[in-house]
Amino acid sequence: MSLPPLPLEAITIGAQVGDWRAAVTAAGAALELSGATTAGYTARMIRVIDEFGAYIVIAPGLALAHARPGADVLADGLSVVTLAEPVNFGHPNNDPVSVIVGLAVSNSEDHLRSVAALANVFNDARVIPALAAATDAEFVRSVFRQTESS
């Protein structure tokens, strides 16, 4: 399965945030800006972390912010936020986080497929450092395109 769309307006480079909530809010705001979600989805992503903890920190330096499909998902989409300064989510091994990928998918089957497709992207050990060091949105999008086609 291919990844959900990652429009340039859904990519934020060097965000200044003070904590994980602000980092997830930035990923949600990027999804909203791209037209993929409403503000309700951002609030649900934060509630998921409040309820289940920092499991979304799936690799050193990387958080995959997401929630179940719902009415607040208007279209499938990704967002990417890189942080000027990494923040801790409370994960025992993978903190601090400098890259947040937001995922919004409109149905459960595609949600699981998208998570699997993203896992394949991040199997390449070069991807997270490349995203963390990115200086422009087009480069971020090219990293996803390269890993998706390989």
Side-chain angles (χ1 to χ4, degrees):
M1 176 187 180
S2 62
L3 292 169
L6 177 60
L8 290 175
E9 62 268 24
I11 300 169
T12 304
I13 303 295
Q16 302 276 346
V17 300
D19 60 23
W20 70 261
R21 286 179 193 278
V24 173
T25 299
L31 285 169
E32 291 172 46
L33 184 63
S34 73
T37 64
T38 67
Y41 189 75
T42 301
R44 286 197 308 120
M45 289 193 301
I46 290 171
R47 280 196 305 269
V48 166
I49 300 166
D50 282 337
E51 184 174 354
F52 298 108
Y55 81 97
I56 71 160
V57 183
I58 60 173
L62 174 71
L64 175 58
H66 61 105
R68 291 180 181 268
D72 46 14
V73 176
L74 306 175
D76 295 353
L78 292 173
S79 68
V80 175
V81 174
T82 68
L83 303 179
E85 296 294 329
V87 296
N88 289 326
F89 278 68
H91 193 280
N93 303 312
N94 295 333
D95 275 341
V97 170
S98 55
V99 177
I100 297 92
V101 174
L103 170 66
V105 181
S106 58
N107 71 65
S108 296
E109 288 183 20
D110 286 345
H111 183 88
L112 293 175
R113 289 185 186 123
S114 295
V115 169
L118 283 168
N120 286 335
V121 168
F122 294 108
N123 277 339
D124 183 336
R126 298 170 297 180
V127 170
I128 297 170
L131 293 175
T135 57
D136 67 77
E138 189 57 55
F139 175 78
V140 169
R141 199 157 67 173
S142 74
V143 168
F144 279 84
R145 284 186 184 143
Q146 288 172 355
T147 57
E148 194 174 24
S149 63
S150 60

